[in-house]
Amino acid sequence: MGTDVLVVGGGPAGMAAALSAAQSGAGSVLIVERNERLGGILNQCIHNGFGLTLFGKELTGPEYAGRYADQIGQAEIPCLFNTTVVSMTGNKEVLIRNTDGERQIEAGAVILATGCRERPRGAISIPGSRPAGVYSAGTVQKLINCCGYMPGKRAVILGSGDIGLIMARRLTLEGAHVEAVCEIMPYSSGLKRNIVQCLEDYDIPLYLSHTVTRIFGRERVEGVEISGVDEHLAPVEGTQRFIECDTLLLSVGLIPENELAGYAGIVMDAKTGGPLVNDRLETSVPGIFACGNSLHVHDLADFASLEAVEAGKNAAAYVKAGGEACQEFECRAGNGIGSVVPQRMSAKALAEGATAYIRVGRPFENASIVIKRGDRVIRTVRSPRLTPGEMVKTVVRDSGDGDLTFEVDSHD
Amino acid sequence: MANYDVVVIGAGVVGSLTALELSKHNVSVCLVDRFPEPGCGTSKANSAIVHAGYDADPGTAKAALNVRGCGMMEALCGELDVPYLRTGSMVLAFSEEEARKIQALLERGRQNGVKGLEIIGRERVLELEPQVNPEVFAALYAPDAGIVCPYELTVAAAESALDNGVEARFDFPVERLERENGMFRVISKSGEIRAAFVINCAGVYSDLFCGEPSFRIQPRKGEYLILDRKYDGLVHHVLFRTPTKLGKGILAAPTVHGNLLLGPTSEPIEDREDTDTTAKGLGLIRESSKYMLPGLDLRGVITSFAGLRATPSTGDFLIGWSSGQEGLLNAAGIESPGLTSAPAIALKLVELLGERLPLQKKAHFHGRQKVLRMAELSLEEKNKVIRENPAYGRVVCRCECVSEGEIVDAIRRNAGARTVDGVKRRVRAGMGRCQGSFCMPGVLELLSRELGVSQTELTKSGGLSRMLTGTLKGEE
Ligand SMILES: Cc1cc2nc3c(=O)[nH]c(=O)nc-3n(C[C@H](O)[C@H](O)[C@H](O)COP(=O)(O)OP(=O)(O)OC[C@H]3O[C@@H](n4cnc5c(N)ncnc54)[C@H](O)[C@@H]3O)c2cc1C
Ligand SMILES: Cc1cc2nc3c(=O)[nH]c(=O)nc-3n(C[C@H](O)[C@H](O)[C@H](O)COP(=O)(O)OP(=O)(O)OC[C@H]3O[C@@H](n4cnc5c(N)ncnc54)[C@H](O)[C@@H]3O)c2cc1C
């Protein structure tokens, strides 16, 4: 069996990529999705706030997914549901498994749109017992919104990213009591509107520069110890406080899902956790593209979809014309920068104008992101406030020579 | 009231293997445990190492049973279809003084009857284990050491015992033993059973039943870190530090599933339920591991845990007939190398029992039915299996690629999974890098369907460890 373009994952990125590939004349396009429907994580995000950029309207997650799914239906793009891609080679031989068995599909191009997973408790090694009641926020989102179960009655939430904030409100609305939201950083990475609408409106305290330092309870969670942290994020002795609760929600970061990239021998970027790509969103293996949260974690589903449109277009071009060898330059994350995607840009793309997605490494006030080639500044992006939680998107246009360095120029 | 020839208290690795050995004979046996499934005590939380046998002092029960158990492990794991790997081990010496110490270990090992021991030099160590700190001087190499999956071994032994006629009572916390008319009353909150003989394999609680007033257990906690499978192949052998007065130190070992295990610490504790990890303990492991393997990236840690050693006041395993209680056979104070020794301890206990209870081998004994593991099958075999039962084609746990069919098997087998942790230990659903974030709701659904109980009744690990507190408002 074969297909011109195979898209792994049918979330907002995968759907957008498949549509755009089909519209760009890719030939046959196939979506492989392990769940029973399109939509990815959006199916469990029943709050609104999706689609402002793309559809000019506030939609819920399922509504946003539905709009795309309709277009996929109209374009008659085939989807294999309840089907998991279990491995993949660098030759774009994709092994899938479902109730019909396991078989290989040979693809002309592959687009990875596998989304991300949540960082688990173990990864941050919170000491203490290991009782029932410690869940990642997304798991609780699924239990409540899709399965109809309550995971607990009194919760503490660690992490004030958007998922944590939204779950604070959701739990409250379902009758649970949220005792506190703790954030290890001195600022929240969540959107301001979420802090107001999800915490302040319900009098849920947000403790900045605080973390959970111990979990209590042998069978079910009975409480947690929280502590203040110093500027190195280390807990400060003497600031410990016990909070009684039966549930601890963790919302401590998202990690791109990239097992498949690993099997195919794709070179990864330790900073983003995703594959290293060029301006065509093509990985180190020609003909394999990546987009959405499996490439790097986005702030909004809209951005994941927008990026995926590019991946779809480029995958179509690849199957039509084959890869193009072109001189590429490196995009280096310099002083103050957390990550830059893409990590390489071609001379041609730079001449026409290439999009870069930038995250800073820490918050800055009144600072600029400066893009340089050698000592020559080719672009400056000024901002009153830069935080690692917000991705900065900018177009870089230059016909010069040499690698690019991205830096923060701060006045503080 | 149920009457048995023998009641075995404790379905850890020792009790389960003992029950298995007994199931080969014409005796009625009941295996009891306070948890809903076998292997929820120390046998689930240890270093999983099949020790070669140079640690224990010559002449002790530990030394003899360790060497004997190590020799039995590979064949036993083959019979029970349990993962085992003979990796070999190294005790690394980082100074001249340590180099002298490993020489003494070598001699002790030889006295204990350990084969193949040799001291290898720095070059050879670094050739075999390029990640080891180049400051290493030498190492004691033991080719017979290995690794095993301790909870799968325990579960497999209990299951196979049940397949061969042993009965089991789970959720049966024994409170006391009473002797009446030459029989034992084995009394627990959830009922009582009778037996002519009791075998005490109660792990960290084994001193409470042993009938030896002077024998005490001082539990010692050991904490661990587990790293993601992407570190598979970073170390190939079990790597120990040279033991000091403070203990054996922090080791690094591959697991049979390709994760990297770092630990354990060693801390005496009073509370026998205290398997909490601590900031101090985990910090110590990080520091020590960084010294042994300087290139190690600790961002790959996916979980941490702790287990309790049943450290006996006598310094040696207590194995034999109780002097204070008639009809009671003890396997108490089984600390490390108890996992390695367990097959030999089981044989020893049955041999001792045979002195007082005539034991006749059964004509028929069924070996354990092989476990269907999709990952071990060829493409053709997988397709055949999925054609016969499509549930093997539905992937539930994405990180470890575990199918619905494999999870259902784990629940339906004898001594099967009853809890979320039980599923995890048997088939690895939830053991991967997302730690069950994605598959937990699916696992709950399968447990509920297979066991015929509502999801809100299901627990993480028995007792009051309910996963959910209810349904949504207005829903029933
Ligand atoms: C638990 C969780 C909760 C979130 N909650 C919110 C929220 O409340 N609000 C918000 O704005 N953002 C939320 N996000 C962020 C959200 O992921 C993004 O906004 C957006 O969904 C990213 O789109 P995507 O297409 O890249 O990934 P996804 O939506 O995750 O889609 C990836 C799809 O790929 C499929 N897939 C992956 N691997 C395979 C494979 N090997 N074979 C077959 N199919 C595969 C998956 O099943 C999934 O359907 C959440 C993320 C997570 C992980
Ligand atoms: C940190 C650490 C590292 C170790 N590393 C190794 C190693 O690498 N190699 C090695 O060979 N050994 C090792 N060991 C030792 C090994 O794990 C133990 O010796 C072995 O698991 C003991 O098995 P057990 O069956 O005696 O105990 P357990 O597994 O604890 O089983 C006892 C059972 O009895 C049950 N029970 C207790 N009280 C009652 C009651 N009142 N009623 C009913 N049931 C009861 C418990 O629920 C439990 O299931 C290590 C131990 C620790 C703690």
Side-chain angles (χ1 to χ4, degrees):
Chain A
M1 197 183 157
T3 182
D4 288 319
V5 176
L6 188 144
V7 181
V8 191
M15 292 189 289
L19 267 175
S20 133
Q23 284 159 0
S24 313
S28 56
V29 178
L30 174 70
I31 300 181
V32 182
E33 167 56 55
R34 70 171 124 225
N35 292 328
E36 66 283 356
R37 63 172 65 88
L38 291 170
I41 288 295
L42 296 187
N43 289 320
Q44 66 183 60
C45 303
I46 63 169
H47 53 280
N48 57 10
F50 299 90
L52 270 173
T53 310
L54 261 174
F55 299 109
K57 206 173 156 188
E58 273 212 57
L59 304 171
T60 65
E63 283 169 349
Y64 180 102
R67 291 202 172 201
Y68 262 111
D70 288 347
Q71 294 180 53
I72 298 274
Q74 278 152 18
E76 294 180 4
I77 296 173
C79 304
L80 280 175
F81 292 119
N82 298 309
T83 305
T84 301
V85 173
V86 289
S87 74
M88 179 175 86
T89 68
N91 289 330
K92 302 183 282 288
E93 298 150 332
V94 178
L95 195 63
I96 62 163
R97 191 196 292 178
N98 59 25
T99 52
D100 293 332
E102 198 164 284
R103 71 206 139 103
Q104 187 173 299
I105 302 181
E106 272 134 48
V110 174
I111 302 177
L112 296 172
T114 50
C116 59
R117 63 169 179 273
E118 298 178 271
R119 178 170 287 139
R121 169 189 178 178
I124 52 172
S125 297
I126 305 174
S129 53
R130 290 169 302 289
V134 183
Y135 305 122
S136 52
T139 310
V140 170
Q141 189 177 45
K142 173 148 190 207
L143 284 171
I144 297 181
N145 294 347
C146 304
C147 312
Y149 289 106
M150 280 302 279
K153 297 187 171 122
R154 289 177 80 173
V156 167
I157 300 178
L158 178 60
S160 67
D162 287 312
I163 308 177
L165 299 176
I166 281 160
M167 287 319 295
R169 175 174 66 187
R170 191 81 187 101
L171 281 164
T172 309
L173 292 176
E174 289 304 335
H177 194 262
V178 179
E179 302 288 333
V181 175
C182 289
E183 170 59 59
I184 194 165
M185 304 304 282
Y187 53 89
S188 161
S189 64
L191 298 172
K192 180 72 191 155
R193 70 156 196 242
N194 280 336
I195 293 181
V196 175
Q197 293 170 8
C198 300
L199 300 187
E200 291 173 7
D201 287 359
Y202 300 93
D203 290 328
I204 299 169
L206 169 63
Y207 298 116
L208 296 175
S209 296
H210 274 73
T211 191
V212 172
T213 39
R214 183 140 201 169
I215 297 172
F216 294 93
R218 294 281 151 74
E219 297 183 303
R220 178 80 199 192
V221 173
E222 288 166 15
V224 297
E225 176 193 271
I226 67 167
S227 304
V229 299
D230 62 19
E231 63 269 32
H232 308 293
L233 308 184
V236 179
E237 196 46 47
T239 60
Q240 297 95 328
R241 187 144 56 92
F242 178 79
I243 304 184
E244 203 177 305
C245 60
D246 65 7
T247 309
L248 173 65
L249 253 68
L250 301 178
S251 177
V252 290
L254 298 173
I255 307 170
E257 282 253 270
N258 278 301
E259 282 54 66
L260 297 176
Y263 299 138
I266 288 170
V267 180
M268 305 297 292
D269 180 349
K271 292 201 185 85
T272 57
L276 217 130
V277 292
N278 60 21
D279 53 270
R280 296 190 301 281
L281 304 178
E282 188 179 24
T283 66
S284 63
V285 176
I288 301 185
F289 298 80
C291 60
N293 278 358
S294 62
L295 175 57
H296 56 145
V297 176
H298 294 72
D299 303 337
L300 290 172
D302 298 53
F303 297 162
S305 295
L306 280 171
E307 178 181 81
V309 170
E310 297 305 311
K313 234 185 259 169
N314 296 325
Y318 178 87
V319 291
K320 285 195 289 186
E324 46 182 313
C326 187
Q327 192 187 8
E328 282 180 359
F329 300 102
E330 209 179 307
C331 301
R332 289 202 195 99
N335 233 344
I337 299 288
S339 62
V340 181
V341 174
Q343 293 85 351
R344 304 182 73 80
M345 289 182 176
S346 69
K348 189 170 153 237
L350 275 165
E352 289 166 7
T355 307
Y357 299 88
I358 308 153
R359 272 185 203 279
V360 291
R362 64 177 180 86
F364 295 94
E365 304 268 338
N366 286 322
S368 317
I369 294 176
V370 180
I371 307 170
K372 288 186 192 161
R373 274 185 136 165
D375 288 334
R376 189 163 58 87
V377 174
I378 57 174
R379 178 144 178 73
T380 304
V381 186
R382 260 179 261 289
S383 172
R385 208 173 123 77
L386 290 167
T387 67
E390 256 166 274
M391 197 149 70
V392 178
K393 185 179 161 185
T394 187
V395 174
V396 193
R397 192 173 284 115
D398 185 60
S399 41
D401 201 23
D403 290 341
L404 290 82
T405 307
F406 293 64
E407 286 173 1
V408 177
D409 184 6
S410 95
H411 316 291
D412 62 21
Chain B
M1 189 188 307
N3 258 311
Y4 300 92
D5 293 326
V6 188
V7 162
V8 178
I9 304 178
V13 69
V14 175
S16 299
L17 281 169
T18 302
L20 175 61
E21 203 45 45
L22 287 169
S23 76
K24 297 176 181 165
H25 300 85
N26 276 319
V27 284
S28 64
V29 181
C30 187
L31 174 65
V32 306
D33 202 287
R34 66 196 189 100
F35 284 105
E37 336 172 296
C40 297
T42 298
S43 299
K44 77 168 190 315
N46 52 63
S47 308
I49 292 159
V50 180
H51 290 282
Y54 45 75
D55 287 308
D57 285 326
T60 58
K62 266 187 191 171
L65 292 162
N66 179 348
V67 174
R68 193 168 167 208
C70 176
M72 295 168 70
M73 197 58 90
E74 184 163 17
L76 178 69
C77 289
E79 280 162 32
L80 290 175
D81 192 15
V82 167
Y84 162 90
L85 272 177
R86 185 184 299 265
T87 54
S89 70
M90 291 185 203
V91 183
L92 305 172
F94 285 100
S95 66
E96 271 176 54
E97 196 200 332
E98 291 190 351
R100 277 193 297 278
K101 279 195 184 159
I102 59 170
Q103 187 64 42
L105 276 183
L106 171 89
E107 271 140 38
R108 198 200 287 169
R110 287 191 176 147
Q111 265 179 285
N112 288 346
V114 183
K115 305 235 164 52
L117 290 176
E118 62 176 308
I119 304 278
I120 57 175
R122 177 173 180 275
E123 306 275 279
R124 182 98 180 101
V125 174
L126 293 176
E127 192 184 314
L128 292 170
E129 291 289 356
Q131 293 293 327
V132 162
N133 189 333
E135 287 171 26
V136 69
F137 269 61
L140 170 63
Y141 177 62
D144 278 349
I147 52 178
V148 64
C149 179
Y151 36 88
E152 281 186 64
L153 176 61
T154 305
V155 164
E159 176 192 311
S160 186
L162 266 59
D163 288 347
N164 286 288
V166 167
E167 289 179 28
R169 293 287 290 264
F170 293 109
D171 286 316
F172 194 91
V174 177
E175 281 174 345
R176 60 184 196 280
L177 300 175
E178 277 179 19
R179 199 70 188 156
E180 207 176 271
N181 305 327
M183 293 281 284
F184 279 107
R185 291 175 61 198
V186 182
I187 302 166
S188 96
K189 271 200 220 71
S190 44
E192 125 174 27
I193 51 179
R194 285 173 186 250
F197 295 94
V198 166
I199 306 184
N200 166 23
C201 307
V204 80
Y205 290 99
S206 54
D207 56 341
L208 305 183
F209 301 102
C210 71
E212 309 284 351
S214 62
F215 182 83
R216 280 271 161 279
I217 283 176
Q218 166 68 66
R220 259 187 318 128
K221 177 152 68 181
E223 301 180 36
Y224 293 92
L225 292 174
I226 293 268
L227 275 76
D228 192 285
R229 286 213 290 195
K230 68 178 176 223
Y231 295 86
D232 195 10
L234 197 78
V235 304
H236 310 275
H237 302 77
V238 175
L239 301 178
F240 298 101
R241 296 288 291 271
T242 303
T244 65
K245 280 175 275 337
L246 299 172
K248 277 195 266 188
I250 306 296
L251 62 87
T255 72
V256 288
H257 296 109
N259 298 85
L260 180 66
L261 181 80
L262 304 173
T265 54
S266 179
E267 193 71 33
I269 51 158
E270 293 312 319
D271 178 354
R272 299 181 194 215
E273 299 292 305
D274 176 5
T275 54
D276 292 11
T277 54
T278 62
K280 185 173 151 222
L282 300 179
L284 192 77
I285 298 170
R286 285 199 189 89
E287 199 181 307
S288 180
S289 307
K290 269 294 202 194
Y291 180 76
M292 188 199 272
L293 305 167
L296 186 65
D297 180 1
L298 285 165
R299 282 179 304 180
V301 170
I302 57 171
T303 190
S304 53
F305 65 90
L308 303 184
R309 303 171 182 88
T311 306
S313 49
T314 53
D316 200 4
F317 297 161
L318 176 69
I319 292 175
W321 290 105
S322 164
S323 63
Q325 177 67 272
E326 205 195 325
L328 175 67
L329 195 49
N330 281 317
I334 311 299
E335 62 171 344
S336 191
L339 170 64
T340 314
S341 310
I345 296 175
L347 278 187
K348 178 81 188 166
L349 290 171
V350 173
E351 185 189 310
L352 287 165
L353 184 71
E355 294 171 358
R356 302 203 187 167
L357 177 70
L359 294 175
Q360 226 182 9
K361 282 253 182 198
K362 280 185 197 165
H364 298 291
F365 174 81
H366 315 281
R368 184 179 188 224
Q369 199 195 338
K370 265 191 87 68
V371 179
L372 194 154
R373 298 184 184 99
M374 289 299 280
E376 290 175 356
L377 305 184
S378 69
L379 193 64
E380 258 165 51
E381 290 167 323
K382 276 184 211 163
N383 279 318
K384 180 164 174 287
V385 162
I386 295 173
R387 223 174 300 126
E388 284 162 11
N389 181 357
Y392 292 109
R394 280 194 279 273
V395 177
V396 176
C397 164
R398 54 169 79 180
C399 305
E400 299 287 315
C401 207
V402 186
S403 68
E404 175 181 325
E406 290 164 279
I407 295 176
V408 169
D409 287 348
I411 301 170
R412 289 191 188 164
R413 283 177 165 254
N414 261 329
R418 294 291 170 268
T419 66
V420 174
D421 280 358
V423 168
K424 172 170 118 175
R425 284 197 292 272
R426 281 167 180 79
V427 295
R428 299 185 58 75
M431 282 249 182
R433 43 183 73 97
C434 96
Q435 291 284 300
S437 296
F438 282 114
C439 68
M440 186 267 272
V443 168
L444 288 180
E445 215 176 293
L446 292 176
L447 275 167
S448 155
R449 186 184 84 193
E450 291 298 314
L451 301 174
V453 300
S454 93
Q455 291 193 32
T456 50
E457 303 286 305
L458 295 170
T459 64
K460 178 172 186 283
S461 51
L464 301 174
S465 65
R466 294 258 168 100
M467 295 293 288
L468 306 169
T469 54
T471 51
L472 289 198
K473 282 185 300 192
E475 274 189 47
E476 264 317 306

